Amino acid sequence: MTLNVAIIGSGFGGLAASIKLRKAGIDNFVMFERASELGGTWRDNTYPGCRCDVASNLYSLSFARNPNWTNSYSYQPEIQQYLLDVAKKFRLRDLIKFNHEVLDITYNADKKLWDLKTNHGDFEARNVILAAGGLAEARLPNIDGIDSFSGKIMHTARWDSSVDLQGKRVAMIGTGASAIQTIPEIVPLVSHLDVFQRTASWVLPHMQGHPVKKWTTLAYRFIPGAQKIVRTVGYWRREMLGLAFVKKIEKLQVGMDGAKLFRDLMVTDPVLNAKLTPDYTMGCKRILISNSFYPAMVQPNVDLITEGIDRIEANGIRTKDGVLHEAEILICATGFYVTDSPLGRKVHGLDNALLADSYMGDMANYLGSSFSKFPNLFMMGGPNTSLGHNSIVFMHESQLNYIVPAVKFALKKHAVISPKEAMAVEWTKTIRAKTPHTVWGTGCTSWYLNASGENTTVWPDQTFKFRQLTRGFKKQDHDITV
Ligand code: N01
């Protein structure tokens, strides 16, 4: 049977797409999920201390608010439970084909259908929504000798809870968002931790993460609109930060001064303090929020190594100064394949166009959601729809305001639709021209940039503007064949 829609992934994006499709009266669709459970990045990231740095009221679907959050900034298990609850409430589980890894997605122009190859057989679909997520493919560092390490290697996004860290000598590579949450949790366990830092991060104190009071939960449950108001206020506070990122970069100096004060109070050793001092404008890489990272870094069993890694050997990590830092366990908090996600190489459109070129090559996109040579294919979390300052769930819902009516139109009219090449080129040009004037154009390396140093990941403007631009399906922007 030909599917109306094949959705790839069952994380926030896939679940939201399913709910919205159904609400639009569309049936006969499935979510292909390579794992045995739904949840995407919140299923995968089970490292100790894993928590969202966006408030729970905001980091949730607007149409599925949860009055029962126990913490204002939730930890991973509660977010994963939220997604399981959403799936239950909206009866989505039966729509998911678990353990189905999509191996290839190719457009068949004769049949006007997408052919999907999975590890459990082949499928055809009239429309495809890619919702595999930007933080899905864990990246191990490409460091000489990594295969020769004789101990256990773990990536934070593939945490193995059966590994006992108690009393072990541990090395951690990376000091990004995942690392700074993991480090304080494992320092009390390990005999020694060497943290290998390539770039120091901007760290601010966590001022608002706290258990939710009972009366607040009651207010969320029983006072109509109470939680929505809190969510809205939280959204606009973040947009103030967004304003500094995209228009008033000089205002970030206030944040940098505050972060310096915080660091100076927490890290009194001048050598360690200097090593932890970032050398780029705050916000160019993701701002980290933690009250426990600096206190962990000053513990006597922790060393911060900034000499640069030369290679990994059987017994540890050798730095460029020739010193071998012995380790029994190696933890890589080294991020994800984002601009070079393997999924991009599995999607082939017209003229054998490769979706990977939307991030890595010159391929233009429309609203970060569709591509001229990929008819009836849409991408959640596509180019320049990731965020540095607000909730990604808001962006997902914005994308769906365009994607769902587009799919509905295509199904109703039996139409082949794709954005006009000129519209896609115009959109991509406009987005790329914005970045140099934002904080992401101030010069730092991050996963927001592709191999050519171009921002193909983060939305370089305020999010309400994206919401305005994605309002509905504009026929005039598309090539439509019926
Ligand atoms: O990954 P990252 P992450 N040698 O790519 C270093 C979300 N998230 O998993 O900065 C040495 O940010 C790398 O160094 P450098 C959030 O969107 C959110 O931490 O490239 N070091 C960096 O320090 C976040 O942005 C939350 O110089 C190497 C680190 O590894 C995204 O996930 C929590 C190296 C990678 O940092 C990714 O965060 C967790 C090498 N070869 C994640 N390769 C919250 O909500 C890489 N590094 C709080």
Side-chain angles (χ1 to χ4, degrees), residues 28 283 419:
N28 179 25

Side-chain angles (χ1 to χ4, degrees), residues 163-170 186 188-191 328-329:
V163 174
D164 186 9
L165 296 175
Q166 192 74 43
K168 297 282 184 349
R169 241 193 122 80
V170 176
I186 65 171
L189 305 175
V190 303
S191 67
E328 297 164 271
I329 295 168

Side-chain angles (χ1 to χ4, degrees), residues 400-413:
L400 288 169
N401 289 345
Y402 155 62
I403 293 172
V404 172
V407 170
K408 191 170 177 176
F409 176 88
L411 286 171
K412 196 169 162 200
K413 304 279 184 194

Side-chain angles (χ1 to χ4, degrees), residues 14-141:
L15 296 177
S18 301
I19 296 166
K20 292 277 189 180
L21 285 176
R22 213 190 237 156
K23 204 168 164 212
I26 296 166
D27 60 4
N28 179 25
F29 64 89
V30 299
M31 281 173 269
F32 290 96
E33 171 54 62
R34 66 182 174 183
S36 56
E37 186 50 280
L38 59 86
T41 197
W42 293 105
R43 173 203 60 225
D44 289 345
N45 282 266
T46 59
Y47 61 81
C50 181
R51 187 183 194 186
C52 186
D53 58 7
V54 178
S56 314
N57 280 328
L58 191 52
Y59 196 82
S60 41
L61 296 160
S62 64
F63 50 85
R65 284 193 292 276
N66 173 19
N68 301 318
W69 295 115
T70 62
N71 200 294
S72 57
Y73 283 70
S74 295
Y75 287 87
Q76 174 270 336
E78 200 166 356
I79 302 175
Q80 173 63 3
Q81 188 57 50
Y82 166 77
L83 293 173
L84 293 172
D85 291 345
V86 165
K88 192 170 174 193
K89 180 174 172 189
F90 291 91
R91 293 171 289 103
L92 303 177
R93 262 199 115 77
D94 291 347
L95 300 174
I96 305 175
K97 287 193 178 296
F98 289 109
N99 302 306
H100 277 62
E101 179 166 8
V102 175
L103 306 171
D104 185 87
I105 306 177
T106 296
Y107 190 63
N108 184 326
D110 296 332
K111 292 203 275 180
K112 297 179 182 156
L113 293 174
W114 286 94
D115 290 327
L116 291 91
K117 286 193 194 320
T118 79
N119 58 341
H120 287 300
D122 298 348
F123 297 82
E124 311 185 308
R126 296 182 179 90
N127 299 274
V128 171
I129 299 178
L130 302 171
L135 306 177
E137 302 289 345
R139 180 196 288 274
L140 283 172

Side-chain angles (χ1 to χ4, degrees), residues 47 51 53 135 174-178 181 198-199 285-286 333 335 447:
Y47 61 81
R51 187 183 194 186
D53 58 7
L135 306 177
T175 48
S178 302
Q181 293 185 328
R198 195 164 62 179
T199 313
K285 289 159 98 81
R286 195 175 180 91
W447 61 265

